């Protein structure tokens, strides 16, 4: 290297070090790389204060996206910031356990100037409806709303508007829709001779459309969705928990990592991606306005984000973009994780202030076009050929640009990432079961609850004989189809005081959140059709 080249490299390293310097807390991503050599004296950092401006982690399969999520989440936890991770492949549960030293880890730590110490994070393992190893996560149909459900069922515009009418009538009539059986009962009622009169002045519901909706709901239930809908419903405040740091970690609070296991439901990508959007919409509705904070209240990692937008309408995409934009003021940061930035609509991509781009592959003309489009979104660099760099960074490396503390995009930095300090493999099954059994959420959400709702009320209205305890439901006499209706179990009350049973139970919390419907007051709904608080 000539003297002038060495001087240019030194000047670039100094410029990057200054651009990524922070006065407050930050996530340490790794070290700057120039001409293949790491420069630990120029750390690449992501300020916590800008994480509510959202971010992107992208890259081809096998380039290290999952390990980047793990690296960021464990540092956020150490700073007292709760995180929510979607574990699509089932390999993030190891974040709960200390990592294992190896020659590769030791070499990487020395290369980037990292003091590597094995450390796990306080972790909650969750599972949609309890399918898999984790505390069951459920939502009521009333809370989920018509817009998101229509998205999951892939309904047409006419069918979607008819479903919205069903929800509107149930909300106004004070009929809580807790699970799929409740929704099917309401649809069946509204096309019966008695129910048609209930829709006067609201428009009608044709038998043909009702039949389509009922068939879709039946197939949906047979696909396992029955487990996702019901009570106790997840209270999103349980995602914001911190715990005291253990001795030797410097004191203070550690953020709880909520890891949602998804491998068991990979066959229903529209369901789990839309369920995640429901969580995000619930956070927006539940949390107060806080503006910009020194660190976010929660960081939400949205893995396999492209699934949310595949086949989505323009209106749906616009609603997602609006939610992402508005949730920032609630102190929530959203990190989208996908293979290519072009997987995301431009309305969403434009809001992602920080980007960690792992290697992209360009094997087809479409890949090459996507590569050029991605390179064009990065700040101009006099030191790197960004388009060439995006295809040449190695596993565990990334092309990074973030927002500085002042909100200005930092220079493009080829970054060799740090090694996670937690276990970079799934936790053993026995350890996962131990974590779930010890969780305070398991006692709250582990047992499904069946309280009086639309099915029971409409059944009584048609003078059907009451069900015996544990008996499977039979269709309402007015139902246009003789299909099976899912049964539901009622939780057995524990031997506790009356106050504890009423005020401290999950059933009471779920009831309180759906009280408007139970008392017959019409529910108002947000941009996604979820309940407005």
């Amino acid at each position: 290297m000539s003297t002038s080249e060495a001087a240019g490299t030194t000047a670039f390293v100094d410029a990057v070090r200054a651009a990524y310097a922070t006065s407050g807390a930050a996530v340490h991503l790794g070290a700057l790389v120039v001409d293949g050599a790491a420069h630990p004296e120029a750390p690449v950092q992501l300020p916590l204060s800008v994480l509510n401006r959202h971010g992107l982690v992208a890259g081809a399969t096998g380039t290290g996206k999952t390990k980047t999520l793990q690296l960021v989440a464990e540092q956020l936890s150490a700073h007292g910031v709760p995180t929510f991770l979607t574990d699509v492949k089932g390999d993030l549960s190891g974040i709960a356990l200390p990592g294992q030293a190896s020659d590769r880890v030791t070499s990487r730590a020395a290369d980037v100037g990292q003091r590597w110490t094995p450390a796990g994070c306080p972790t909650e393992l969750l599972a949609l409806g309890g399918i898999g190893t984790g505390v069951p996560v459920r939502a009521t149909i009333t809370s989920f709303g018509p817009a998101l459900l229509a998205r999951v069922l892939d309904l047409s515009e006419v069918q979607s508007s008819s479903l919205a009418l069903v929800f509107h009538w149930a909300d106004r009539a004070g009929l809580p829709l807790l699970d799929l059986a409740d929704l099917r009962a309401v649809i069946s009622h509204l096309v019966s001779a008695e129910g048609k009169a209930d829709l006067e002045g609201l428009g009608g519901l044709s038998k043909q459309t009702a039949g389509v909706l009922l068939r879709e709901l039946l197939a949906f239930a047979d696909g396992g969705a029955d487990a996702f809908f019901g009570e106790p419903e997840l209270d999103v405040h349980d995602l914001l928990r911190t715990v005291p740091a253990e001795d030797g970690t410097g004191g203070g609070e550690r953020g709880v990592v909520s890891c949602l296991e998804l491998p068991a439901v990979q066959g229903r990508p529209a369901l789990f991606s839309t369920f995640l959007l429901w969580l995000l919409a619930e956070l927006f509705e539940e949390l107060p306005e806080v503006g910009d904070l020194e660190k976010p209240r929660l960081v939400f990692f949205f893995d396999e984000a492209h699934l949310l937008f595949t086949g989505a309408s323009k209106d749906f995409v616009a609603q997602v973009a609006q939610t992402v934009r508005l949730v920032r003021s609630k102190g929530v940061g959203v990190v989208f994780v996908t293979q290519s930035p072009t997987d995301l609509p431009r309305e969403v991509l434009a809001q992602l202030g920080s980007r960690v781009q792992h290697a992209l592959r360009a094997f087809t003309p479409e890949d090459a076009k996507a590569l050029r489009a991605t390179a064009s979104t990065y700040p101009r660099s006099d030191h790197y050929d960004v388009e060439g760099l995006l295809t040449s960074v190695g596993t565990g490396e990334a092309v990074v640009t973030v927002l500085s503390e002042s909100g200005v995009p930092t220079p493009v930095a080829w970054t060799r990432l740090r090694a996670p300090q937690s276990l970079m493999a799934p936790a053993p099954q026995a350890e996962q079961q131990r974590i779930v059994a010890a969780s305070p959420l398991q006692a709250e959400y582990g047992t499904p609850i069946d309280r009086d709702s639309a099915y029971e009320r409409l059944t009584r209205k048609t003078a059907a004989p009451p069900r015996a305890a544990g008996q499977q439901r039979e269709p309402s006499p007015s139902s246009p189809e003789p299909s099976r209706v899912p049964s539901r179990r009622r939780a057995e009350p524990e031997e506790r005081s009356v106050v504890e049973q009423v005020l401290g139970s999950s059933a009471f919390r779920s009831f309180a959140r759906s009280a408007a419907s139970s008392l017959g007051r019409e529910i108002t709904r947000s941009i996604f059709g979820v309940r407005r608080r």
Side-chain angles (χ1 to χ4, degrees), residues 229-240:
F229 296 103
E231 291 185 307
E233 180 180 274
L234 177 69
D235 183 345
V236 293
H237 289 93
D238 287 328
L239 304 180
L240 305 177

Side-chain angles (χ1 to χ4, degrees), residues 379-402:
R380 183 177 177 276
S381 175
D382 293 328
H383 197 86
Y384 298 122
D385 170 14
V386 175
E387 187 173 332
L389 184 61
L390 288 172
T391 62
S392 60
V393 293
T395 300
E397 297 180 343
V399 180
V400 176
T401 181
V402 304

Side-chain angles (χ1 to χ4, degrees), residues 78-114:
H79 285 294
V81 178
T83 59
F84 179 88
L85 304 178
T86 51
D87 190 5
V88 176
K89 297 184 290 293
D91 52 5
L92 277 171
S93 58
I95 198 170
L97 303 177
Q100 297 176 345
S102 66
D103 292 342
R104 186 174 182 180
V105 167
T106 302
S107 173
R108 171 58 62 95
D111 197 27
V112 299
Q114 176 186 9

